[in-house]
Amino acid sequence: MGLVHIYFGEGKGKTSAAAGIAVRAAGQGMRVHFIQFMKGGNSGEINILRKIDGITVIRCSRSYNFTANMNQYEQEQITKEHNTFLKTAIKIIESEDMIIIDEFFSAYNCGLCDRSLAKKLVSNENRHSEIILTGHDPDSFFLQKADYISEIKAVKHPFEKGITARRGIEF
């Protein structure tokens, strides 16, 4: 049976940690599905993950506004995409080696996915897949289901000095 991993917090590195475990797993011949909620734009780790045998990348069809700036149509569209991703993950949970859902908690907390499907994903006791979930502020349900929990804490960040995201470092 696969275990549940959570990488959460306000610090930089949750997606990078998930990408790292995807690379490690693929390097051992495992089949990985790297599913990215909330994001659809250019990303260095996604560009390279797509080139690695054994890793399938699934992500939003386009970049959406930040949640607070989404209109109702955008919220409906992104929720539809996220629910399709969750259904895919549930369908393959007994056959694939690893399923990573990046920004999972952001979508869950903002109501941008079906919460019952999200809970079903980690509640499947027959799963073969390791499940890795990332994001901010995980619900207690997921914390109780998790086998690994890593909190990424921001101690200091260049954003505090007005330095914006840099190519190759933050994206």
Side-chain angles (χ1 to χ4, degrees), residues 65-133:
N65 286 320
F66 286 110
T67 307
N69 298 331
M70 285 184 192
N71 61 39
Q72 184 176 348
Y73 175 76
E74 289 173 316
Q75 290 175 3
E76 290 169 0
Q77 291 304 112
I78 200 168
T79 300
K80 184 177 177 181
E81 287 194 69
H82 292 162
N83 289 341
T84 299
F85 300 162
L86 283 171
K87 289 173 187 172
T88 297
I90 290 167
K91 183 178 178 181
I92 64 174
I93 201 167
E94 293 181 29
S95 61
E96 296 301 295
D97 298 308
M98 182 177 288
I99 299 170
I100 297 167
I101 306 183
D102 186 42
E103 295 295 348
F104 174 83
F105 298 114
S106 299
Y108 183 89
N109 292 337
C110 292
L112 298 176
C113 68
D114 182 320
R115 290 183 174 173
S116 64
L117 284 176
K119 288 180 176 180
K120 183 178 180 181
L121 179 69
V122 299
S123 297
N124 183 335
E125 297 298 326
N126 295 321
R127 70 179 169 269
H128 170 74
S129 302
E130 294 283 313
I131 306 292
I132 291 98
L133 307 173

Side-chain angles (χ1 to χ4, degrees), residues 17-41:
I21 199 167
V23 170
R24 177 182 290 149
Q28 293 294 335
M30 296 172 74
R31 294 176 317 274
V32 178
H33 275 68
F34 193 100
I35 300 170
Q36 198 168 48
F37 281 9
M38 308 296 290
K39 298 176 182 175

Side-chain angles (χ1 to χ4, degrees), residues 14 22 24 26-28 40 47 57 59 68 73-74 91 101 136-138 144-145 149 152 155 159-160 168:
K14 297 174 292 293
R24 177 182 290 149
Q28 293 294 335
N47 293 341
V57 175
R59 62 196 313 241
Y73 175 76
E74 289 173 316
K91 183 178 178 181
I101 306 183
H136 302 275
D137 195 26
Q144 291 171 3
K145 292 287 187 181
I149 301 174
I152 311 296
V155 176
F159 184 75
E160 297 164 356

Side-chain angles (χ1 to χ4, degrees), residues 156-168:
K156 187 176 185 180
H157 197 288
F159 184 75
E160 297 164 356
K161 296 179 188 177
I163 299 171
T164 58
R166 296 167 299 141
R167 186 175 60 88

Side-chain angles (χ1 to χ4, degrees), residues 9-16 152-154 157-158 166 169-170:
E10 299 302 319
K12 175 188 176 312
K14 297 174 292 293
T15 300
S16 298
I152 311 296
K153 182 179 176 184
H157 197 288
R166 296 167 299 141
I169 306 301
E170 283 86 20

